[in-house]
Structures are given as structure tokens and as C-alpha cells.
Amino acid sequence: METSKALVVMDKNVLEFQKLAMPEVGDYEVLFHTKACSLCTLDRRTFLGTRNYQLPFLGGHECSGVIEKVGKGVVEVRPGDKAIFTSGYCMQCGLDRSGRGTQCRNKGKMPKHAAFEGWIQGGGLSEYLSIPAWQIIRMPDDVDFNHACLTEPLACCVHSIPKARIKMGDTVTIIGLGIMGYLQMKLALMQGARVVVSETDPGRQEKARANGAHVVVDPSKEDAVKKLRSLTNG
């Protein structure tokens, strides 16, 4: 029997490789072969026990891969295509059809991406997944898998720009230059904003300066609020 290797959180601070049955591909589904998977803080917190998810837990919702097989009715992708996949939207409810898929109330009713007895959040930490075709987004042939798997966190940051109403000439403060902070910084710069980065780590401070931050503040050495008020006339 063909199997799919998966990395599973069994308990707090306990990871285990498991062999799952190869997913079956039904009509309007594809077989997705994971090539790269980045780790969300959700995965990390579940592993550390600070996020209360049902265990065992199969995570990985920031991933990229290759379409290995397509079921009947799939027309937009074909075997060999590079791709990513979205969250488990049903695309049958009014929320999904009006562009509010993150609020879909039917995710728990959708078929599981993997033959796994436990909680699945994405499932990209398994080699193979069975995914509805409408959750698949095809990537260019020359895309780097390691870059493509950051599409989901980048999309979160992209959505935050209009929500924050950032426009040219605004001053934007990024608190902490982790991965999401870095993406937010670059997007704010593209909007024409003046960007201030508040960061204590010297390496990240240098990264901020090298990538366009106008001002870098170390809140462990100076009053960041006072500095921001002086930069923005109060």
C-alpha cells in the first residue's frame, strides 16, 4: 500500500513521523504533493502546548507543492503544475461566494485532506493531500517552492494594508521585525509611507536598515513612544 509520511504533534513537545494511507482523489479533487512548508505560530503554539488544539495534530497551512493527479471535472490545473492551496472553503455558502471565505462555517464539514485520525489544520506537514480543485492556486513554473510557501502569510499582510488605510506620506511603525514584520515593512514602503521599525535584536535592526526602514528604534535603549512623538510632531 502506498503511504504518505506525515509529521504529527502527538502531545506537548512531542513530534512523531507517521505513515498515512495515500489519499484517494475523488471528482473535482487533486492529489497535492507537498514540496515546502513554512511553520505558522499556530503550529508552534500547538507543539508547545500554549494553543489548545485537539491532539494528535497535523498542521501546515503555509505550503507549496506539485499536482500529482487530478480527478474528474478538474479543468484549471494538470499533473506537474506547481501550486499552493487556500484554507478549506466550501465555496457553497454565501460567505465564500462573497469573498469572505475566512469566515466559512462549513470547513469542519469538508472532507479531510489526509487519512488522519486527529485534528488537521491545512495538513501540509504530510507528503500527500487530497484537495478540492477550487482551493488550488496554480503557481508559475519558475517559482521557488520556498518562496511560494510564504504566499499565505504575505496575503495576510497584503490584506492589512487597506484595513489600516496606509497611504503615501503616512508614518507607519512596525513593532518587531520577524517574518510578518518584515513583509509589513516592505508593503508599507511600497505604499509610500515613512516606516519606523521598533526592534531590540541587532541583526534584525540591521536587516531593517538594509531593506529601507527610515528609522530604527531600539526600545530597550530609548523611549520608543517619545521617539515616535518627536518624529510625528506629537
Side-chain angles (χ1 to χ4, degrees):
M1 181 183 72
E2 287 188 285
T3 59
S4 171
K5 186 165 67 174
L7 184 61
V8 177
V9 179
M10 298 300 297
D11 206 338
K12 180 179 178 181
N13 296 318
V14 178
L15 290 172
E16 178 182 292
F17 279 110
Q18 293 188 2
K19 288 184 178 180
L20 308 179
M22 183 67 72
E24 294 184 3
V25 178
D27 295 348
Y28 306 104
E29 292 183 336
V30 307
L31 182 64
F32 182 91
H33 184 186
T34 303
K35 293 294 186 179
C37 185
S38 61
L39 296 178
C40 176
T41 54
L42 183 152
D43 302 313
R44 178 178 178 273
R45 289 169 183 167
T46 303
F47 171 69
L48 294 175
T50 59
R51 179 96 179 223
N52 186 24
Y53 265 108
Q54 175 187 329
L55 297 174
F57 174 85
L58 176 60
H61 59 272
E62 303 174 357
C63 48
S64 58
V66 174
I67 305 302
E68 294 282 339
K69 180 180 177 181
V70 300
K72 181 181 177 181
V74 177
V75 295
E76 278 293 312
V77 294
R78 61 185 185 275
D81 282 346
K82 292 183 176 182
I84 60 170
F85 63 88
T86 69
S87 184
Y89 310 150
C90 72
M91 287 308 292
Q92 298 171 57
C93 67
L95 289 167
D96 288 4
R97 291 175 174 176
S98 60
R100 293 172 289 174
T102 55
Q103 300 172 51
C104 177
R105 300 191 184 111
N106 295 322
K107 292 180 183 180
K109 301 176 183 178
M110 297 295 293
K112 287 187 174 184
H113 288 168
F116 176 70
E117 294 301 323
W119 185 275
I120 299 178
Q121 188 72 22
L125 289 174
S126 176
E127 286 183 291
Y128 292 94
L129 301 166
S130 177
I131 299 176
W134 60 83
Q135 294 173 16
I136 294 293
I137 300 173
R138 187 161 54 86
M139 294 280 106
D141 292 337
D142 61 350
V143 74
D144 185 298
F145 287 117
N146 291 329
H147 296 165
C149 72
L150 293 173
T151 302
E152 193 270 354
L154 175 60
C156 293
C157 294
V158 169
H159 283 304
S160 75
I161 297 295
K163 285 188 174 183
R165 299 186 295 278
I166 297 172
K167 58 186 184 299
M168 184 175 289
D170 283 349
T171 298
V172 175
T173 301
I174 307 295
I175 302 176
L177 201 78
I179 293 173
M180 302 296 273
Y182 175 85
L183 295 174
Q184 294 280 20
M185 178 187 74
K186 299 297 284 188
L187 291 167
L189 289 168
M190 290 170 68
Q191 288 294 105
R194 176 176 61 167
V195 176
V196 180
V197 172
S198 175
E199 174 60 66
T200 59
D201 181 81
R204 292 183 174 186
Q205 291 171 10
E206 185 55 37
K207 178 73 73 174
R209 294 187 185 95
N211 284 274
H214 297 93
V215 180
V216 177
V217 179
D218 185 341
S220 68
K221 296 180 179 178
E222 61 181 316
D223 187 325
V225 174
K226 184 176 180 180
K227 178 71 172 180
L228 287 168
R229 284 177 174 162
S230 70
L231 290 169
T232 58
N233 193 28

